[in-house]
Amino acid sequence: MQQDYRIFAIHSRLSSLKLAIPVISPKGGVGKSTISSMLSLALSDIGIATGLLDLDITNPTLHTILGIDIHSVKLEEIKGIKPFKLTERLEFMSIAFFTRDAALPLRGSDIVNTIRELLAIINWNSMILVIDTPPGLSDEVLELLLLLNSVNPHITKPLIITGQNILSIISTKRLLSLIRKEKIEPLGVLCNMCSNNEFIRDIAKAYSVEILGYIPFIQNFEETIGNTKAILKHAQSYLNILIDKILNLVKT
Amino acid sequence: MHEWALAEAIIKLIEYKALESGINRVNYVKVVLGELQQVDEEILLYAFNELLNILKNEKNIEVVKYQLVKEKAEFKCNRCNSIWSLNTNTVSADELEMIHFIPEIIHSFISCPHCGSHDFEIIRGRGLSVIVYPQ
């Protein structure tokens, strides 16, 4: 890695960050993308310069959730590429801007190369970067943690998303066990589509991670896709503990 | 075009390697320009030479010799093993610009000319790569 010139570009591109929040879950369908969108909309709404990166390289969907028409966006180039400004304080980047939303079938080493090129050319101007990742612990998540760790291990705090069903809880246990062995300090665990916090109380205690609240199953959530105002409203209802924790972290 | 940013990153790599080896004179730097990324050689060279001068004047680190090598792009299909070269006529100007930023994007725009598979490897000429030989 030390012979890869892109690492040096990535270091300077990410040097202004105070906090990087990879949103991770070993299991698919637990709501990483919607929660990444909710969180970044809520942070930017309270005046924090926030970046949102869709790192689901082969299947990006954040632009759809945020109602961005990929084909109408022309990315601005100034010594690299400026992220798309969704609002005054929310910057967004996705591989979909480059593929024009076409399928991008890639194997492992190509995914690593894509992530390095992407992070080496994007000019973020944010204090907090929220990164949506694909499910599992494969190339995207491993490469992201590797790069963030090389920039500054202290700014990286993964947000772990789980559901309340048994398969989701078992997967989250596995992830927390691994994270603890690697001495990564997670932001905490958030239970999505949960009826209460009880489902994650035991694992939070066992792995000493903070419970950052729960989001109940929201009827007709599909109708909010593409409507940032409606998504922000949900964030303001359910992400208060998480946002308070983040505010405390960036204040210090 | 982001050649200046590329040149800056190469210079940082050279500086890192020099400091790591505890030397002021880096013996040899090889810069490979893969065809697929379409890096503008003239701009990159200009930026690189300007930044090399700054590196020498401000950090007292000197590169004895560097070489720029061009490499044609080649692809190999994982399904039928066909090997083919880049044909810029089959890709639009807009797509080429995107490939300039991220060469792997080509997987969205072309497929194997023999069997149509998108599961192929870029076996040569992907983009910019740098090897620093401090001593």
Side-chain angles (χ1 to χ4, degrees):
Chain A
M1 190 168 99
Q2 285 168 353
Q3 273 282 15
D4 191 335
Y5 70 94
R6 294 172 298 186
I7 302 302
F8 297 90
I10 292 168
H11 281 209
S12 54
R13 299 286 193 200
L14 300 182
S15 60
S16 68
L17 291 180
K18 276 188 96 172
L19 186 62
I21 308 174
V23 179
I24 56 177
S25 158
K27 201 171 173 318
V30 293
K32 287 181 293 301
S33 299
T34 46
I35 291 170
S36 301
S37 306
M38 286 162 76
L39 177 60
S40 54
L41 284 166
L43 289 172
S44 56
D45 188 62
I46 53 173
I48 295 176
T50 307
L52 173 62
L53 172 65
D54 193 339
L55 210 66
D56 197 340
I57 299 295
T58 58
N59 190 42
T61 52
L62 286 187
H63 58 287
T64 308
I65 295 174
L66 298 169
I68 298 166
D69 175 15
I70 284 291
H71 301 281
S72 68
V73 174
K74 172 81 182 151
L75 293 171
E76 205 183 333
E77 284 178 53
I78 302 169
K79 276 196 174 184
I81 288 189
K82 289 188 82 172
F84 174 72
K85 268 201 138 182
L86 190 65
T87 66
E88 188 55 38
R89 291 187 188 83
L90 181 54
E91 303 178 308
F92 171 65
M93 184 44 66
S94 165
I95 198 74
F97 287 123
F98 298 89
T99 61
R100 299 298 189 218
D101 224 2
L104 181 61
L106 294 180
R107 287 172 180 253
S109 60
D110 288 331
I111 289 176
V112 168
N113 264 327
T114 304
I115 292 171
R116 289 189 183 183
E117 292 293 342
L118 194 61
L119 290 176
I121 57 172
I122 306 302
N123 274 324
W124 296 102
N125 196 26
S126 296
M127 185 164 79
I128 296 179
L129 183 63
V130 178
I131 309 123
D132 182 33
T133 67
L137 291 168
S138 195
D139 297 284
E140 289 89 342
V141 175
L142 294 179
E143 181 64 14
L144 176 69
L145 293 176
L146 175 82
L147 294 173
L148 288 175
N149 191 58
S150 78
V151 173
N152 181 353
H154 305 293
I155 62 163
T156 309
K157 305 228 180 283
L159 170 63
I160 295 149
I161 311 296
T162 184
Q164 68 180 33
N165 64 76
I166 184 101
L167 298 181
S168 195
I169 297 286
I170 287 170
S171 308
T172 304
K173 266 188 195 173
R174 267 196 215 123
L175 172 66
L176 285 170
S177 165
L178 182 95
I179 276 183
R180 281 306 183 204
K181 279 180 201 153
E182 297 213 353
K183 298 189 170 52
I184 296 169
E185 188 55 47
L187 200 59
V189 58
L190 185 78
C191 196
N192 190 30
M193 296 175 279
C194 292
S195 45
N196 59 58
N197 271 342
E198 289 307 310
F199 298 95
I200 52 173
R201 204 168 294 282
D202 287 349
I203 52 170
K205 197 176 169 191
Y207 296 98
S208 307
V209 291
E210 203 170 322
I211 296 174
L212 297 170
Y214 71 95
I215 304 174
F217 182 79
I218 302 168
Q219 286 289 338
N220 306 323
F221 187 81
E222 281 269 302
E223 288 169 16
T224 66
I225 300 292
N227 181 346
T228 51
K229 278 185 184 160
I231 297 167
L232 175 62
K233 220 172 164 185
H234 285 310
Q236 288 162 339
S237 305
Y238 302 114
L239 297 186
N240 298 320
I241 303 171
L242 171 61
I243 287 164
D244 283 349
K245 165 128 196 193
I246 292 169
L247 288 179
N248 280 329
L249 279 172
V250 292
K251 252 189 243 162
T252 51
Chain B
M1 288 291 176
H2 61 306
E3 279 72 7
W4 270 95
L6 294 174
E8 279 170 12
I10 300 171
I11 294 291
K12 280 184 186 159
L13 172 65
I14 294 169
E15 186 186 342
Y16 175 86
K17 285 284 164 192
L19 294 173
E20 188 187 52
S21 311
I23 52 168
N24 290 92
R25 280 168 65 85
V26 172
N27 195 36
Y28 176 55
V29 176
K30 185 179 176 184
V31 178
V32 179
L33 280 185
E35 180 190 22
L36 187 57
Q37 199 170 17
Q38 314 146 76
V39 170
D40 189 312
E41 187 184 339
E42 209 175 308
I43 300 173
L44 182 80
L45 263 179
Y46 177 76
F48 186 56
N49 282 315
E50 289 287 306
L51 295 169
L52 273 180
N53 280 333
I54 295 171
L55 186 69
K56 191 180 171 185
N57 295 335
E58 291 184 1
K59 305 270 172 78
N60 193 29
I61 294 169
E62 202 176 348
V63 171
V64 177
K65 188 188 170 192
Y66 75 82
Q67 193 185 8
L68 213 118
V69 182
K70 288 196 206 177
E71 199 175 77
K72 291 296 259 181
E74 255 184 8
F75 311 99
K76 185 181 181 190
C77 179
N78 284 323
R79 191 184 290 173
C80 73
N81 289 326
S82 285
I83 291 175
W84 74 97
S85 309
L86 178 67
N87 180 358
T88 48
N89 294 329
T90 60
V91 195
S92 73
D94 181 50
E95 290 165 350
L96 280 172
E97 194 187 353
M98 297 303 143
I99 293 165
H100 166 62
F101 287 115
I102 302 172
E104 281 67 30
I105 296 295
I106 191 129
H107 285 87
S108 284
F109 304 134
I110 69 165
S111 59
C112 170
H114 184 67
C115 74
S117 172
H118 286 80
D119 180 10
F120 61 86
E121 283 172 48
I122 306 162
I123 51 171
R124 292 179 79 245
R126 177 201 168 273
L128 185 67
S129 63
V130 185
I131 309 171
V132 179
Y133 300 90
Q135 284 153 3

